[in-house]
Amino acid sequence: MAIIYQNEDVKAPLIKKREVTKWIKDVAASYGKKVGDISYIFCSDEKILEINKEYLQHDYYTDIISFDYTDEDVISGDLFISLDTVKSNSEQFNTDYLEELHRIIIHGILHLCGINDKGPGEREYMTECENKALELRFNVK
């Protein structure tokens, strides 16, 4: 049971892995979940578009794609994050890059915890959960 951080076709982001890992576990626990095997794969827009087309039949860029392997109360999955889109989102929303990266990192965990963001009212609830999780960080910046 581990959280691993990988990068593919991009330079690895400068995050404090130990603190981020503890934060992820704390957030999961707040939803009654334990952390199983989670892989973060940081990549480019081009790679995430390729994954989106191949596995989801979607022809657009996105910030994160979550492959959920959760079994009951143990969350597991592969989380692909486009650092290009994280950067453009931080510029568009006038937020700090690391703040936006942490938001996307925890967004994937919230999906694994069962929170959706596609239906009516779900996006707003997801944002509320992201904001609550961001408040739990321990000097993760």
Side-chain angles (χ1 to χ4, degrees):
M1 309 288 189
I3 298 174
I4 61 169
Y5 304 89
Q6 304 169 314
N7 52 300
E8 188 172 318
D9 75 354
V10 295
K11 184 178 172 191
L14 298 175
I15 58 172
K16 295 180 179 179
K17 293 176 186 171
R18 186 173 297 139
E19 289 90 345
V20 170
T21 296
K22 181 180 182 333
W23 174 52
I24 289 167
K25 289 178 179 179
D26 290 346
V27 170
S30 75
Y31 289 92
K33 306 290 184 181
K34 296 175 190 158
V35 171
D37 292 321
I38 296 174
S39 295
Y40 281 97
I41 303 98
F42 300 105
C43 62
S44 68
D45 269 352
E46 294 312 310
K47 181 64 179 178
I48 211 155
L49 179 61
E50 175 187 316
I51 292 163
N52 217 1
K53 285 179 180 179
E54 182 175 345
Y55 295 99
L56 303 174
Q57 291 71 53
H58 297 159
D59 189 9
Y60 54 82
Y61 298 103
T62 188
D63 45 16
I64 185 167
I65 296 176
S66 304
F67 293 96
D68 188 348
Y69 313 128
T70 297
D71 185 18
E72 295 182 19
D73 68 338
V74 179
I75 62 170
S76 296
D78 293 327
L79 305 171
F80 288 82
I81 295 177
S82 169
L83 296 182
D84 296 330
T85 299
V86 169
K87 184 175 187 313
S88 62
N89 284 351
S90 73
E91 292 166 357
Q92 178 183 348
F93 300 123
N94 198 28
T95 59
D96 178 75
Y97 172 77
L98 270 180
E99 179 85 8
E100 188 65 23
L101 180 58
H102 290 146
R103 179 176 296 279
I104 300 308
I105 285 171
I106 213 63
H107 181 94
I109 295 301
L110 294 170
H111 273 309
L112 299 182
C113 288
I115 298 169
N116 297 312
D117 59 359
K118 299 290 186 217
E122 290 179 342
R123 178 68 225 158
E124 294 79 6
Y125 181 63
M126 173 63 86
T127 300
E128 180 182 316
C129 293
E130 290 168 358
N131 290 339
K132 182 179 169 189
L134 287 167
E135 291 174 10
L136 293 177
R137 286 180 301 174
F138 304 84
N139 274 338
V140 175
K141 294 182 182 180

